[in-house]
Amino acid sequence: MRLKKWVGTTTATVLVSSLILAGCGGNTKTGGNEGSSPKNTESAAPASKETVTLKAYFPGDKPVGFDDVLQAVNDKLKADNVGAALNINFLPWTDYGNAVSVKMSAGEDFDMYLDAPWISMNQMIEGNSLMELDAAVAERPELKASIPEEMWEYNKFGGKIMGIPLGTTQGQLYGLLIRKDLREKYGLPELKTLGDLEKFLYMVKEQEKDVKPFVINGIKADKLPFILSESANLALDEVLEIGVNMFAYSIKDKKVIGQWTSPVIADGYERVTQYYKDGIISKNIAQEQNAETLFKQGKYAATYYAADGVEGLKYSEMLQDGSDKLEIFIPNGDKAKPYTAFQQWNFLCIPAASKHADLAMDVANWLSIKENHDLMEYGIQGKDWEPVGDSSYKVLSSYSFPGFVLTWRPTLNRTPDTMMKDDKKWFDFSTNPANFTLSPTAGFNFNAEKVKTEYAKITPLHDSTFLPFSQGLVPAAEGKEMMEKKMASLGGQKVIEEIQAQIDAVTSGK
């Protein structure tokens, strides 16, 4: 899952065998260090390690019940003789990046924190402020095995592992969450194509007095051309997303282009224009921030969906009455194999100045064992949660740890037992690397340092021009012309050339 600040997006959620600590001889299922035994004493217990407290900084609010869970985590770390305890500090999102940078610059002694290209990771790497982790990861088999090889390989910086990639899904799969009961009310078959979707949406508009067709928060509307294109979720001529807002990469021409010029989703832009004009898309889309609530209240028949293990869970309460009134429509779902760069948005990083880097990695390895992972991610078993099989769980309390800062491991993931069947199906699909097509730009992470002035100038275009165009407020042809002119006037070509140079450097060896 790619979780920017947020996102939420999106939510939620959610992840192997014996622990082998670096530099120790033996392994146990609890991750203890057997150490060296006295001669002729095969059953001697390992020497008890001195406990070192590791300090960590993560963004957001401290979870409800976290102190009790952290105490349980530290008790188990001690019982497993890892030699570490955790001191986890949560900082407000509003100032997190700046606060961590100040701490780093001031030489504060801490051992792990969340960073990402969208926070300050590129700058930290350039300043030699982060520990290179290749050797440390190779020495810790549980950590290495808990994250797919594709995630390790394609989330390097300058060819090196500079942070543990934290995610659950391996690519992006888009669709819509729809009211199944309304579809059945009008005798429509299960939605398979965009044509089927269109019949459903227009039927709702014509027949329902109190229910409108489709709602989406305005900030997410830049996804609409992808969802509403005949190319949705397929690997065709272009990689439509390269991790840089508003830009794409044409495989056919091997060129960086503006998304608005892409012939592959041109039909998506036209469809958005028509749907806005016809009242299929909420007329309030530009200001809309309450799509989730409005859909839950039954005021709309369809809303945005992404198979990220988070988006669908927002609506699980709608099924608490035992009904089966929701379903998920994935365009081209029967043949979906979209491009992915396996890029993740969040990384557990270790400052180069940490005095306990090896121990911090030992803890990351320890957290890659299912029982330890589950303790931190879901809380105290029997109090905060209880297992439902090997891959699901029942929530018993309000404890909700933000796994994207520390514990997300695709192979250890559990999903809530409240997750609707369709949502689990597509989330499971998205966690499997085999269901995606490797993007030729895999390994590319844009660093805007060389064009930071121009990049700062064009960035506001996303909200001022690109979003209204993607929302349907500005007709497709007019929106494309506006984007071209404004991008050119603000130095956008220089940004394109820099993106191109960096992608060429990645693709030249392939």
Side-chain angles (χ1 to χ4, degrees), residues 379-387 396:
I380 299 169
Q381 187 172 332
K383 176 184 176 184
D384 299 309
W385 71 287
E386 61 184 30
L396 301 178

Side-chain angles (χ1 to χ4, degrees), residues 89-243:
N89 302 273
F90 290 91
L91 302 174
W93 267 116
T94 52
D95 195 45
Y96 175 75
N98 182 61
V100 169
S101 295
V102 169
K103 292 176 184 298
M104 197 86 83
S105 299
E108 181 178 329
D109 185 15
F110 63 100
D111 305 289
M112 61 181 79
Y113 77 107
L114 177 79
D115 209 337
W118 53 275
I119 303 178
S120 59
M121 196 165 176
N122 288 321
Q123 294 89 331
M124 292 298 182
I125 291 171
E126 289 182 1
N128 297 315
S129 298
L130 299 184
M131 184 79 66
E132 295 176 15
L133 302 178
D134 294 78
V137 169
E139 293 169 355
R140 290 164 174 84
E142 281 72 38
L143 172 60
K144 186 168 174 55
S146 69
I147 293 174
E149 186 57 38
E150 291 87 350
M151 278 177 64
W152 289 118
E153 180 63 28
Y154 297 113
N155 285 280
K156 294 180 178 179
F157 295 78
K160 298 175 181 178
I161 298 173
M162 301 304 297
I164 297 171
L166 301 169
T168 55
T169 57
Q170 302 306 306
Q172 297 181 341
L173 196 72
Y174 297 122
L176 298 180
L177 179 65
I178 75 159
R179 287 277 301 278
K180 178 182 178 182
D181 57 335
L182 290 177
R183 173 181 67 76
E184 293 178 336
K185 176 180 178 180
Y186 295 107
L188 297 175
E190 182 181 353
L191 308 187
K192 297 288 188 180
T193 68
L194 286 175
D196 295 338
L197 173 68
E198 192 161 292
K199 288 179 183 177
F200 171 71
L201 294 175
Y202 277 88
M203 180 69 75
V204 169
K205 182 177 185 294
E206 294 166 5
Q207 300 294 328
E208 289 291 321
K209 182 177 66 173
D210 300 319
V211 183
K212 297 178 182 178
F214 177 67
V215 66
I216 184 173
N217 284 340
I219 194 66
K220 294 181 180 177
D222 55 359
K223 299 292 187 278
L224 284 178
F226 302 123
I227 299 171
L228 299 177
S229 167
E230 295 291 348
S231 66
N233 301 312
L234 299 178
L236 297 179
D237 287 343
E238 294 179 9
V239 178
L240 296 180
E241 295 181 283
I242 54 175

Side-chain angles (χ1 to χ4, degrees), residues 1 13-15 148 168-171 173 305-310 313 328 330 378 390-392 409-416 419-436:
M1 171 183 289
T13 57
V14 267
L15 333 262
T168 55
T169 57
Q170 302 306 306
L173 196 72
Y305 172 78
D308 56 12
V310 171
L313 284 172
I328 291 166
I330 300 292
Y378 309 119
D390 291 331
S391 62
S392 188
R409 305 284 193 276
T411 63
L412 304 182
N413 173 63
R414 288 181 184 271
T415 54
M419 189 178 234
M420 70 181 93
K421 185 178 179 181
D422 275 4
D423 191 19
K424 181 166 176 54
K425 170 189 172 181
W426 290 114
F427 175 66
D428 288 346
F429 178 99
S430 294
T431 63
N432 186 351
N435 290 327
F436 295 87

